[in-house]
């Protein structure tokens, strides 16, 4: 497993991050984020457009954020590079909300819109901090460092396991984990990722197997 993780990190480090397994998951999450928030901002901007006071106080901010989200959604459909998405996040510069809306103008819809705007800001900051706070070159260096660390850990654990196996063989001993592990080796070929001949032969002997907890 560790070797597989190391290879994935090396692949990600030498390619665009968004083409890696982790990057593909991030793209999927970003697409969901963009779709959800585009719909919310369309609804909010439509409501704001019904009153000149709303447009004056909140319009610049909400309309800017809607357009930024629409551009993000379009960008994400083009299988963009990490740098392209990072640049779009870095470009975010929405004008602030003007004086609060009070009195009978402060409807439930306005309160909800303000709360959503605040939530959107938190989500945006989280994406920037977690995924887009470094350049592609810096990210590549981080991934290479992680791959190196995992490689060293794999080497250490392999050496430990080898010495442990030699000592158990010398003493003629098995531990509890060996019973399941060795049984699994009899039944599954990890090189071909398929059942062994032993497993196939044993499987022919049974039509049903009942297992107690």
């Amino acid at each position: 497993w560790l070797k597989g993780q190391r290879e994935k990190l090396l692949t990600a480090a030498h390619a665009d991050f968004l083409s890696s397994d982790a990057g593909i998951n991030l793209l999927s999450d970003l697409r969901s984020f963009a779709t959800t928030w585009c719909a919310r901002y369309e609804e909010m901007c439509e409501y704001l457009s019904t009153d000149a006071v709303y447009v004056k106080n909140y319009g610049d901010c909400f309309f800017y954020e809607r357009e930024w989200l629409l551009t993000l959604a379009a960008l994400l459909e083009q299988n963009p590079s990490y740098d392209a998405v990072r640049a779009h996040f870095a470009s975010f510069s929405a004008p602030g909300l003007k004086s609060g809306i009070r009195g009978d103008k402060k409807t439930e819809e306005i309160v909800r819109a303000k709360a959503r705007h605040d939530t959107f800001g938190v989500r945006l900051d989280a994406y920037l901090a977690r995924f887009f706070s470094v350049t592609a070159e810096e990210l590549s260096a981080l991934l290479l460092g992680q791959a190196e660390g995992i490689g060293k850990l794999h080497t250490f654990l392999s050496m430990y396991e080898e010495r442990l196996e030699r000592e158990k063989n010398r003493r003629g001993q098995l531990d509890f984990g060996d019973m399941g592990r060795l049984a699994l080796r009899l039944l599954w070929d990890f090189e071909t990722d398929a059942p062994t001949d032993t497993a196939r032969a044993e499987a022919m002997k049974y039509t049903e197997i009942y297992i107690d907890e």
Side-chain angles (χ1 to χ4, degrees):
W1 182 84
L2 286 174
K3 287 179 67 177
Q5 293 301 112
R6 177 177 177 274
E7 291 303 316
K8 287 181 180 180
L9 287 169
L10 288 173
T11 299
H14 291 108
D16 189 89
F17 174 71
L18 293 183
S19 66
S20 67
D21 288 348
I24 290 170
N25 289 335
L26 174 58
L27 272 178
S28 177
D29 184 69
L30 285 171
R31 287 176 180 133
S32 177
F33 167 79
T35 299
T36 298
W37 282 95
C38 278
R40 289 175 179 174
Y41 267 83
E42 285 291 351
E43 176 188 335
M44 292 186 293
C45 288
E46 183 179 351
Y47 181 78
L48 293 179
S49 298
T50 63
D51 193 294
V53 173
Y54 299 157
V55 173
K56 178 183 177 181
N57 287 18
Y58 284 2
D60 288 347
C61 179
F62 276 79
F63 297 155
Y64 172 91
E65 291 175 345
R66 178 184 62 181
E67 291 307 310
W68 185 90
L69 281 162
L70 289 170
T71 303
L72 174 64
L75 175 64
L76 294 174
E77 292 307 314
Q78 301 170 14
N79 293 319
S81 66
Y82 172 84
D83 275 339
V85 179
R86 181 173 182 266
H88 186 66
F89 271 84
S91 74
F92 184 83
S93 182
L97 298 176
K98 296 179 182 178
S99 59
I101 297 173
R102 299 178 178 84
D104 58 357
K105 295 288 186 181
K106 190 175 181 180
T107 62
E108 290 183 7
E109 289 82 0
I110 286 297
V111 172
R112 183 167 60 250
K114 175 63 168 57
R116 283 182 169 179
H117 162 77
D118 293 343
T119 300
F120 171 71
V122 171
R123 292 289 305 277
L124 199 64
D125 289 342
Y127 275 118
L128 278 166
R130 291 184 61 192
F131 302 112
F132 300 107
S133 60
V134 297
T135 66
E137 292 75 16
E138 290 170 332
L139 179 57
S140 177
L142 288 170
L143 293 172
L144 286 172
Q146 290 180 350
E148 181 182 1
I150 287 179
K152 290 179 178 178
L153 177 60
H154 178 263
T155 298
F156 168 77
L157 292 175
S158 296
M159 292 173 61
Y160 173 81
E161 182 179 19
E162 183 179 342
R163 291 183 62 181
L164 180 62
E165 289 302 310
R166 284 202 306 265
E167 184 61 21
K168 286 191 293 186
N169 289 338
R170 186 183 69 81
R171 298 185 182 188
Q173 295 178 342
L174 294 175
D175 60 32
F176 183 77
D178 289 330
M179 291 186 284
R181 181 172 56 83
L182 295 175
L184 183 58
R185 283 186 185 176
L186 285 173
L187 301 175
W188 192 261
D189 187 334
F190 289 93
E191 294 296 326
T192 61
D193 198 28
T196 63
D197 291 340
T198 300
R200 293 190 181 93
E202 289 298 312
M204 296 297 293
K205 299 178 182 179
Y206 307 98
T207 56
E208 295 181 355
I209 297 177
Y210 292 90
I211 303 175
D212 195 2
E213 71 278 2

